[in-house]
Amino acid sequence: MKGLRLLSLLLWLCSVYYVGIYLFVGGFLLVRLEVNRTSTCGDVLQPADELRDFCHARPRFRRAVLLIVDALRIDFTRFDPNNVAPLPFENKLPVLEEMVTFRPSHCRLYPFRADPPTTTMQRIKGFTTGSLPTFVDVGNNFASSAILEDNLIHQFGNAGKRVVFMGDDTWESLFPKRFHRSLPFPSFNVKDLHTVDNGILQHLYTTMVGGDWDVVVAHFLGVDHCGHRFGSDHPAMADKLTQMDGVIRSVIDRVENDTLLVVMGDHGMTDSGDHGGESQKETDAALFLYSPSSLFPPSSQSEPTVVPQTDLVPTLALLLGVPIPYSNLGQVLLPVFPSLGHTDGVGGRLSQLEALWINAKQVNRFLETYSGIAKDIPPESLSHLKDEFSRLSSEYLTAVGGTRTPSPQLAASLQAYLASVRDTCRATWAKFNPLKMAAGLVILAFACLMCFTLSELSHLLIRENVSVLKALLSAALMAGALVAAGQRLTLGYVEVAWCLAAAALSSELIFLWRTLQAGATTAAKNGCKTFKSASWLTPGCLLAPQLLVALLRCASLLSDSYVIAEGRAVTFLVLSLAIYIPIRLNWDGLLSPPSPDPLKAAGLLPSAASPPLVLRKESSTLLTCVGLLVGSLYLSLSFHGCREEQGSCQPSPFLTPLSRLQDNQLKNLHYVLSVSSLGVWTYLLRCCLRHYGNLNSSGGTAFTARWILPMLAVCLGLYWAVSATSEDSFRNLSELISLAQLVLPRSAFFLLGLGLLLIWIDPLTVFVKTRAAATARGASLPRPRYRASTGISPQAELHHLIPQIYQRMRRSLEDGELSEANEVGSRPAVEAYGLGTVYSAPLLLLCGLLGIGLLLLHPEGMALSFLLMLLQMGALLHIHASSTTLCSLHGTQSGGFNVPWIPVVLWSLAATQFFHATGHLPTFPSIQWNAAFVGFPHGHTSNILPASLVTLNTFASHILFAVGCPLLLFWPLVCEARGSRGRVCGEEGEDAVMEMKLRENPQQFSAALLQLSTRYLFILGAQVFASVCAAAILRRHLMVWKVFAPKLMFEASGFLVSSFSLLIGVTLVLRVDGAVGRWFKRLVPDASR
Amino acid sequence: MWDREIRAMASTHAIIAASVFMATVLPAVLVPGFSVYGTHLSWLYSVSGAVVAVSVAVFWLLGVAPPTKRNSLGHKLSRLFRYCLYFFLSCLFFHAVVVLYGAPLIDSALETFSLAVLLTSLTTLRCLCVLGPNVQAWIRVFSRHGAMSVWDTGLQITVACTVVGAWLGAFPIPLDWDRPWQVWPISCSLGSTIGFLTGLAAAPLWIHYHRKQLTYKCK
């Protein structure tokens, strides 16, 4: 068996997938590290000689009113008196234009440009922190959405300003407990146009008159909801805008001299009322600034045509006299500050240049901090910016120090500096890289295609002696090196992503080309046979239910509703495919015994006597297993968690840890249930292993199965008991309890590691009895025939010998059984040795051990779900085995150990199904963080251990199913002996039984293993590809950051974990194969003597 | 012989389809407040009732069902009882299957059961009419070589279409379109009805175009 070759081929396939995922994610997911520092009043932002604490100086304004009208597009606010037939959204806010015309020094109206993604939460984050939000703002706290970065609300609070908030309840989740007074209203129901607005209006005017406030934030949602519901071109929009017009008028009437009024939209909307993307209609909102006292210079000097949304942050901060938030990237809005000539020296009125200087210094400080913790800003632009700032600062300091009027160029170059910093950061954080995304998509698509080709042509490729891999590797290396050299020459630096992309793509193309060639040559050799393999892409084949189900699954990833309901949708698909199996078998007439046919009864078919019995037995097994499968599918639905999008959904009661249950009786019930299912899990595994005689040997694996597995289970049960005890009930034992909480899980980890090590070191579960008495019977054996062929190579000799050994052993054991009256009875003797399940036994044990280990990381109630998982695995394996046996009974299946698509699809979908049924969801808040503290109740020092524990917890079902995947290959052979025992016993000539058949045909074995793994990888890869497509196509969808991007992350990391586990499973099989080979070598001399 | 049987089947199917149509239209005209979405359950029962009545009548008149050996009144009564029993059991079976597919267990049991009744009257009833109360024969009919007459093939096609229609009908339920027909069980019952009608139309056509390949063993 060509183990190494197989493994390296799989490894190469996986790494191609990884490169594709890496490229796409690099272009799609924009990651930024949050800087958790805050600006304080003491920050020396002014030149050193002019130590002035501007918090205590009198600011320009004492109070501010922020009216945020959600989705107030800039053209809603324009007023065109010549427009005689205005659309519903035109000319409905005349107040703004009136004010601008009649009181030009008091107010301004600007287009206000938001950064994508133009969704409300991201926008609020944007115009309070002044930074550019990305999808992953890596902060300290993943689980809650509260803003931890320095922001305006925080600064207002620090400066002692009373912030009163009313409106959209998103603010409440972003700034919990930060407001002096808060009146949130539910924003979830998009159909409700009035609740939020009316709620605000009830309180707005009274609050403003009341005086118990310094900053009022009122966030109106009516316009946005109206857009979502009706679109912008609808009479309801006219009503809503007219209402807003009235609101603004009455607020203007109530604003006093020391108060600044800001009316703004957080983003725009498309004509259909949606937003989230980056089209101009979505990004361009309106910004209206007003003050009863004169605010703007009368002469309209350099007026900005468009104000970026982040610019509001430093402007508001400096106007209200608070420090600019630490991570702000915006620049101050110059017209609201007096230019240097007009500085009248009134305390706190910063001149334009001073404001710009404070701003630039803050931005530079942020840039320095950020480049210290993250490396994603290109170093050359960073150093360029640094040089620019030091030049400007020296220029400014000399200008201020020398009391010389600074040149007007200085202000302009400070502005240019700020703009270039923002552009650099935006290029790093806020822009998709479509080229990388496309490259990732192409590589993934080719990888899927390759998997499919490999799985269809695995026999061909394994047989082929040409070193495909070397060619692939050299091509990849060459392409990568070429691209690296090219980049070095043209750009001056090397971007690893593109080198990897070139390597992956070139090796993929070489592979596909060679495969085509190989296919063509074999087609030339044996005519029509390979044309069968060339016909996979006919529509009839694609519509076959197994691929149809896989296709439906992939298509479902493109719709947010199906992603939200993924758990149920996958269960539905698994159930459909499972029910399809018996229906299909019945359709082929394989399920029920053929009706008494005159032709067959006449004796045309020789083995007419035994099949009906076997067949009835097999079909009843099949139907029972389908029943079991359906039952466990249905029960698994009750372990699901809930997404926040699913309104009326109750998370499973089994998801709460026992320690949080109040009711003692319920706690006991849950505990008993969990422990008994743990016991059943262990018992079932042991039973299975004992049934096939794998517990007899004295090797490491048998030791693991006999001792470590139960001990692990006991450890887990004790740990649950300890962690469930409430702390007050056993006060005097508290030290013991905390010790046990530390020791028990750690010893479980240790046992698990020991078990895995033992399985790896000594995977054989074969027990050989050397029996002297056997010689009496052995004499009657036919003399070994290989003597006749001594001239042939030892390889062939060995090949010939193995059947002899089986026969010998079987005879001898039968002999022994007869004499000792063993209770095993008439079971074929070979089973007792455990040789028949030599491959599957360690794999099964590995799954069992891993299952208990992973269960340790879950809440206790999940033990039931894990038991269901084991049952479902068993049911799937038996269904597969029975249907294979049924097919082979009727002679419809050709030779080889092919695993058809249906069980593979079922197996991979079941992994997703149990991802949900173990309480996981593809969203970040639903990650079970408790897993990181199992065995480490006092926290961690590094990040690697908790991250890996949480990963193991999250992808438990992926790991188990992927490791167990090779079982699909072995199980039909394991069950064969049971199924067709009558025939085997009848025909003594049948030499190899059960998994030894694989040993007999190493070529077919490795081909089948390769086929199975590539098929599994194909299904997984197709799902990743589908979710990548969803993220790429729907990157402007409203739900992209809530549904698709998290789904992509989970799908991609699930693929990573699954493929890795699959490789582990395959490696274990290869390891067993090597061990079996050595074992036979040891036996050869004995037998030949 | 072929032509006659196919024609008989086509006309039978036309009559059944017309009954479905009338069961939708007549109450809509006669009963105030009747609509397919609004009063879905009454529509559902009206369609099932119509299909049951018309199929039983038509197949009885045609005499497709296997002949009975004894014709005493008691035997007839027991046979009728078995028909009813099988009908009810099939309703329970479909109910269980639908629940296993993810329908709520307790909340809308009436709706689920109504769907089961509809599915039974579209599928099982026809089995009862064509094959009699004989589960072995039903299982046998759904195999490649199990059809023994044109009627059996027609049965295969309509039942498969109905079941696939109901299966497809479950697909729009999770979508967030907020349409009236996404409410349980409307989409499934509509899907099965549409599947049934498609099957009714497709069966004679399919048999007609494949009559060369079709060979039946004699009964």
Side-chain angles (χ1 to χ4, degrees), chain A residues 478-760:
Chain A
M478 257 165 46
L482 266 179
V483 170
Q487 280 183 336
R488 184 94 217 154
L489 285 180
T490 51
L491 300 173
Y493 62 95
V494 178
E495 199 171 349
V496 183
W498 287 116
C499 304
L500 285 177
L505 203 60
S506 64
S507 66
E508 276 174 344
L509 290 178
I510 294 264
F511 172 81
L512 286 175
W513 183 63
R514 290 197 78 133
T515 317
L516 277 183
Q517 244 186 358
T521 49
T522 34
K525 258 187 235 162
N526 45 359
C528 59
K529 207 192 164 192
T530 35
F531 270 94
K532 206 181 77 200
S533 60
S535 65
W536 352 284
L537 286 178
T538 53
C541 179
L542 280 181
L543 278 179
Q546 56 271 30
L547 289 186
L548 180 73
V549 164
L551 206 69
L552 278 176
R553 159 78 185 135
C554 292
S556 78
L557 291 172
L558 290 164
S559 153
D560 58 327
S561 310
Y562 285 119
V563 174
I564 289 170
E566 190 188 28
R568 298 186 80 90
V570 169
T571 314
F572 182 89
L573 287 180
V574 173
L575 185 61
S576 305
L577 198 55
I579 289 181
Y580 168 76
I581 294 175
I583 290 177
R584 170 82 204 186
L585 283 173
N586 185 45
W587 174 253
D588 287 336
L590 304 179
L591 203 55
S592 52
S595 51
D597 205 339
L599 282 176
K600 284 179 187 167
L604 285 179
L605 287 175
S607 59
S610 69
L613 195 76
V614 179
L615 195 133
R616 201 155 291 153
K617 204 170 156 216
E618 280 299 320
S619 38
S620 63
T621 318
L622 181 86
L623 289 180
T624 321
C625 286
V626 169
L628 184 66
L629 177 67
V630 169
S632 65
L633 277 171
Y634 185 70
L635 289 180
S636 78
L637 284 179
S638 55
F639 294 99
H640 284 204
C642 283
R643 292 178 72 114
E644 56 179 312
E645 290 91 346
Q646 292 169 313
S648 60
C649 169
Q650 283 291 322
S652 161
F654 294 103
L655 276 171
T656 44
L658 282 187
S659 49
R660 260 185 241 158
L661 281 182
Q662 297 300 324
D663 186 0
N664 260 338
Q665 219 162 359
L666 195 67
K667 195 189 258 189
N668 289 342
L669 180 70
H670 273 208
Y671 181 71
V672 168
L673 273 179
S674 306
V675 168
S676 50
S677 51
L678 182 66
V680 172
W681 167 286
T682 320
Y683 177 73
L684 279 180
L685 269 176
R686 277 190 60 131
C687 261
C688 182
L689 289 176
R690 192 186 308 129
H691 177 76
Y692 291 111
N694 294 107
L695 289 185
N696 292 334
S697 82
S698 53
T701 307
F703 177 76
T704 311
R706 250 180 288 171
W707 298 110
I708 293 186
L709 189 68
M711 270 162 66
L712 198 58
V714 168
C715 259
L716 188 51
L718 284 179
Y719 171 64
W720 284 343
V722 167
S723 61
T725 48
S726 51
E727 281 170 10
D728 349 313
S729 51
F730 300 98
R731 246 170 229 293
N732 35 5
L733 290 179
S734 64
E735 270 188 34
L736 191 67
I737 286 177
S738 62
L739 184 73
Q741 277 193 335
L742 197 71
V743 170
L744 282 173
R746 286 194 183 180
S747 56
F749 286 141
F750 172 73
L751 281 176
L752 181 66
L754 185 69
L756 297 184
L757 193 71
L758 282 177
I759 292 180
W760 177 255

Side-chain angles (χ1 to χ4, degrees), chain A residues 655 857-859 862 918-920 924-932 950 953-954:
Chain A
L655 276 171
L857 302 175
H858 280 79
M862 286 299 114
T918 45
H920 298 291
F924 290 114
S926 69
I927 292 177
Q928 299 175 355
W929 298 105
N930 284 337
V950 169
N953 161 285
T954 307

Side-chain angles (χ1 to χ4, degrees), chain A residues 191 562 568 576 586-588, chain B residues 102 139 143-144 167 171 178:
Chain A
K191 301 230 165 89
Y562 285 119
R568 298 186 80 90
S576 305
N586 185 45
W587 174 253
D588 287 336
Chain B
I139 293 174
S143 66
R144 193 180 307 239
W167 185 71
F171 279 60
D178 280 339

